[in-house]
């Protein structure tokens, strides 16, 4: 865990590449900055909590 300066794709990409092994599966919320941050290096499973009907 870390506090990021912002939730931009660039900030997320830096955090992800520095802390998560390439090829890992990332399960995230559906924030639009994740796809460009994870690109082809990770499998990405976004979950839109609002649309899922599950409690956050």
């Amino acid at each position: 865990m870390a506090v990021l300066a912002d939730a931009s794709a660039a900030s997320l990409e830096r955090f992800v590449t520095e802390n998560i092994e390439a090829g890992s599966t990332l399960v995230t919320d559906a924030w639009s900055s994740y796809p460009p941050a994870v690109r082809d290096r990770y499998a990405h499973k976004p979950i839109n909590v609002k649309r899922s009907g599950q409690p956050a």
Side-chain angles (χ1 to χ4, degrees), residues 4-12 31-34:
L4 302 180
D6 55 55
S8 68
S11 291
L12 291 170
W31 184 252
S32 61
S33 293
Y34 282 111

Side-chain angles (χ1 to χ4, degrees), residues 3-46:
V3 177
L4 302 180
D6 55 55
S8 68
S11 291
L12 291 170
E13 181 176 18
R14 186 170 33 259
F15 174 80
V16 168
T17 57
E18 290 176 358
N19 294 284
I20 301 172
E21 184 176 345
S24 297
T25 299
L26 277 64
V27 180
T28 70
D29 61 9
W31 184 252
S32 61
S33 293
Y34 282 111
V38 301
R39 302 181 194 255
D40 299 342
R41 295 180 297 266
Y42 305 91
H44 183 218
K45 183 179 177 186

